[in-house]
Amino acid sequence: MKALLLEDDPVLSGEVSSFLQAKGMACDTVFDGDLFFRQQLRETYDIYLLDINVPRINGLDVCHRIREKDKNTPILMLTAYGEIDDKVEAFNRGADDYLVKPFHLEELYVRINSLCRRKTTPQAQQEIIRVADLEINASEKEVRRGTEQISLTPKEYNLLLILAKANGRVVPKNSIAEQLWDYHIETTQNTIEVYISFLRQKIDKQAERKLIHTKVGYGYYLKEEA
């Protein structure tokens, strides 16, 4: 695997790069957003690691520009900003995961492996899943509600698929975390709530019948209720 790290702290940049190389993973480093895109033109990468507060083009704008052309390469934000609003903004721009500084390098490596495995591991999927007027074409990764096609990010789509495959049963938050990220930590709970909110905005907001429901204290389920 090969990563491109955007980080303007030379000490942290060196530590992350050396650690990943010791794990057998190549890692190129740049310290501002302009250099990031210049380097991206030279090489192909399996994952992008982005700090937010960097010179020239900040990490959020870099993330957004990546997603305009590339929907699949994982993006992991590495940042000192840990408020929920900051996470929502990062996910809205297309980030797949979010790690708050200071962090353990081993946890960084676990998350990188998880994101890259999700990208490369094919999963057997039912071709068409229907819940009321919601249709999920798993082979094409397309979603419709009635006649309207709905655009979802990869994480939003995978979350919807997890709920749909449960056939109306409640899916606990820890199960969602394990299926989406292959690991479970406390901060993931807020992240799941953020993605559920995103899904509701896209799937249910304009519809008279709501399909995404909360079982307080347990988790979420996708079902047409009478």
Side-chain angles (χ1 to χ4, degrees):
M1 292 190 296
K2 191 170 188 177
L4 179 56
L5 169 64
L6 172 60
E7 172 59 65
D8 66 336
D9 181 335
V11 175
L12 180 58
S13 178
E15 288 178 352
V16 170
S17 177
S18 296
F19 173 80
L20 293 180
Q21 290 179 40
K23 292 287 191 179
M25 182 176 181
C27 181
D28 291 333
T29 62
V30 292
F31 62 84
D32 73 47
D34 282 343
L35 291 174
F36 177 92
F37 288 111
R38 292 180 194 175
Q39 182 61 33
Q40 189 192 34
L41 291 174
R42 300 187 187 106
E43 301 284 347
T44 299
Y45 294 94
D46 299 292
I47 189 168
Y48 299 117
L49 312 175
L50 308 180
D51 185 18
I52 289 179
N53 190 20
V54 295
R56 304 199 178 210
I57 307 173
N58 70 49
L60 290 173
D61 289 338
V62 169
C63 181
H64 180 72
R65 284 174 57 174
I66 292 170
R67 284 293 177 249
E68 288 181 332
K69 297 181 179 179
D70 178 357
K71 303 295 185 184
N72 297 317
T73 303
I75 299 175
L76 172 57
M77 308 303 292
L78 307 177
T79 176
Y81 303 117
E83 298 298 323
I84 189 66
D85 288 346
D86 300 315
K87 295 180 180 181
V88 169
E89 179 66 15
F91 293 136
N92 271 327
R93 298 292 187 97
D96 294 289
D97 203 355
Y98 194 107
L99 189 56
V100 178
K101 300 175 183 177
F103 51 81
H104 293 288
L105 292 173
E106 287 290 347
E107 182 179 356
L108 171 63
Y109 185 64
V110 167
R111 295 199 186 201
I112 289 172
N113 274 329
S114 173
L115 290 172
C116 290
R117 185 161 55 248
R118 288 287 168 183
K119 176 187 176 185
T120 59
T121 303
Q123 298 184 11
Q125 297 178 348
Q126 180 182 345
E127 188 172 357
I128 300 292
I129 302 174
R130 292 185 178 88
V131 180
D133 61 343
L134 176 69
E135 180 178 288
I136 305 168
N137 186 325
S139 60
E140 299 296 330
K141 295 188 176 180
E142 292 182 349
V143 177
R144 291 183 177 275
R145 183 86 197 257
T147 59
E148 179 186 359
Q149 184 164 337
I150 299 172
S151 177
L152 300 177
T153 67
K155 272 289 188 293
E156 291 167 354
Y157 171 80
N158 288 333
L159 174 55
L160 180 64
L161 200 61
I162 289 168
L163 296 177
K165 286 185 172 182
N167 294 318
R169 298 186 302 274
V170 175
V171 184
K173 287 185 178 180
N174 63 339
S175 176
I176 292 172
E178 290 165 1
Q179 292 182 70
L180 278 181
W181 288 280
D182 289 338
Y183 55 81
H184 174 60
I185 55 175
E186 289 300 321
T187 54
T188 305
Q189 302 298 324
N190 286 337
T191 303
I192 293 168
E193 291 171 10
V194 169
Y195 275 108
I196 288 290
S197 176
F198 289 166
L199 270 185
R200 281 180 166 143
Q201 287 291 318
K202 295 182 177 181
I203 300 295
D204 279 344
K205 186 175 181 180
Q206 304 300 325
E208 182 177 345
R209 292 177 294 169
K210 309 304 179 186
L211 299 179
I212 301 172
H213 308 282
T214 302
K215 180 74 171 177
V216 178
Y218 293 93
Y220 304 96
Y221 61 100
L222 184 71
K223 185 178 181 181
E224 182 181 24
E225 295 192 328

